[in-house]
């Protein structure tokens, strides 16, 4: 049985290592790149190399940066007294898209997970505490996911941060906007009840 | 609102130009490449550049080739008397995976489609006829899709090939293996009936 040439198979293998790309998608992507304008595949190859080259974690908060600091840490109009602790860089973008937060961030690089052998040393927790000592923020919002790993990480961080005399808060858990009670599971509904607000 | 750094956005844009990659997938792919081992993104970038560099259409049949001829044309054990005409290179792989065919191929590079302004000049038809004159095969199998474009292309090619005294055949149209009558549409069932075989 004849097969694709080796360089083509290597391209399929490289695509397959991407998330949510199965064998059929990888083949389709490779076929597309070989039949499209040469400029398109060149642009993709260059964009990949360049992104890796120029983007690095912001030395202050850990978000993607191209300059010395990331765009948020370098922005003097941001409120330096309120920080938001998130698990990963894409969470920063989610928060920014939602709007309503104008403080700084701290990207942990993951969440505590004994099963995946992610302990406090694997996360940017030491650098967070050092940064708190140096800059003394007024409040830190733990914006972590509402699942076991997120809860664990929040419970671990809260006392460590409070020790520095900083107010610690967490994102509310409850019924998603636009959704009804009939779609909420028991746990969510329990949180929504506990977290009820007087109107 | 803060955004991803420019090099990151460019990477997202380059991914978005791939087939079946929407804005969310493009972001996820870019995030993955930036958080994965540097070696992985380097491997992908190199695989893309290299594939474009070393793979070219086989000058004889049009299938992907890395050497002078493609692996099939260069294989002296193939039957040079029966050729299979297909629309695109991936069809060659489909045929090879199915097994049962040991002849040569000719890749048209598409199918006739007046709507998309693809006429005989846009396809590798002149080179097919030249190749027939030079090599005089015994039979040519038109392995084109069972839709309007495939039918049109087959109807156009058949008399041109027959003029050279070559037997022309087409793939059978009928009920897919493993499927029942209840899933077959009227047209497919009609073809299956016309093409019935004595047992």
């Amino acid at each position: 049985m004849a097969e694709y040439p080796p360089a083509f198979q290597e391209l399929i293998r490289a695509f397959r290592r991407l998330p949510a790309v199965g064998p059929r998608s990888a083949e389709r992507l490779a076929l597309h790149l070989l039949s499209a304008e040469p400029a398109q595949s060149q642009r993709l190859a260059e964009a990949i190399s360049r992104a890796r080259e120029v983007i690095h974690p912001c030395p202050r908060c850990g978000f993607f940066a191209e300059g010395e600091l990331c765009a948020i840490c370098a922005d003097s109009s941001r409120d330096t007294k309120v920080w938001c602790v998130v698990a990963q860089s894409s969470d920063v973008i989610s928060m920014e898209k939602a709007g309503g937060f104008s403080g700084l961030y701290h990207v942990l690089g993951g969440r505590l997970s004994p099963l995946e052998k992610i302990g406090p040393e694997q996360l940017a927790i030491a650098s967070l505490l050092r940064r708190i000592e140096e800059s003394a923020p007024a409040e830190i919002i733990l914006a972590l996911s509402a699942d076991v790993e997120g809860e664990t990480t929040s419970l671990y961080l809260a006392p460590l941060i409070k020790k520095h005399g900083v107010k610690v808060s967490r994102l509310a858990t409850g019924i998603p906007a636009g959704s009804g009670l009939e779609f909420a599971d028991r746990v969510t509904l329990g949180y929504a009840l506990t977290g009820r607000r007087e109107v």
Side-chain angles (χ1 to χ4, degrees), chain A residues 36-183:
Chain A
E37 295 276 296
Q40 195 189 339
S41 47
Q42 201 188 337
R43 184 178 165 186
L44 178 60
E46 274 169 14
I48 294 169
S49 308
R50 199 178 136 70
R52 237 10 263 219
E53 227 172 82
V54 303
I55 298 174
H56 56 90
C58 172
R60 198 172 286 169
C61 75
F63 180 57
F64 294 133
E66 265 194 52
E68 203 199 319
L69 293 176
C70 73
I72 297 171
C73 287
D75 181 353
S76 60
S77 74
R78 311 273 315 196
D79 179 359
T80 59
K81 286 294 164 198
V82 190
W83 300 356
C84 197
V85 171
V86 294
Q88 52 202 11
S89 286
S90 55
D91 296 334
V92 172
I93 295 297
S94 300
M95 288 293 294
E96 289 292 303
K97 275 184 188 160
F101 179 74
S102 58
L104 302 179
Y105 291 92
H106 194 86
V107 180
L108 292 179
R111 296 161 309 162
L112 292 176
S113 169
L115 281 177
E116 293 172 39
K117 297 204 172 146
I118 300 177
E121 302 75 33
Q122 275 73 52
L123 303 180
I125 292 178
S127 65
L128 170 65
L129 299 176
R130 217 176 314 125
R131 198 178 155 201
I132 290 174
E133 260 180 48
E134 283 165 18
S135 318
E139 179 179 355
I140 288 190
I141 303 166
L142 300 174
L144 298 162
S145 54
D147 53 13
V148 177
E149 284 88 3
E151 299 279 317
T152 312
T153 313
S154 294
L155 287 174
Y156 177 85
L157 284 178
L160 292 179
I161 299 171
K162 277 185 194 155
K163 252 203 301 199
H164 290 83
V166 180
K167 187 177 154 193
V168 180
S169 60
R170 287 176 52 183
L171 292 187
T173 310
I175 298 160
S179 179
L181 294 192
E182 67 269 40
F183 304 117

Side-chain angles (χ1 to χ4, degrees), chain A residues 1-66:
Chain A
M1 188 187 110
E3 284 175 325
Y4 286 119
F8 192 94
Q9 290 182 39
E10 168 59 20
L11 181 55
I12 292 179
R13 274 194 297 272
F15 270 126
R16 280 219 55 186
R17 295 175 143 251
L18 296 177
V21 176
R24 282 294 301 146
S25 310
E27 192 180 332
R28 194 172 55 225
L29 291 173
L31 278 169
H32 173 84
L33 280 188
L34 276 185
S35 32
E37 295 276 296
Q40 195 189 339
S41 47
Q42 201 188 337
R43 184 178 165 186
L44 178 60
E46 274 169 14
I48 294 169
S49 308
R50 199 178 136 70
R52 237 10 263 219
E53 227 172 82
V54 303
I55 298 174
H56 56 90
C58 172
R60 198 172 286 169
C61 75
F63 180 57
F64 294 133
E66 265 194 52

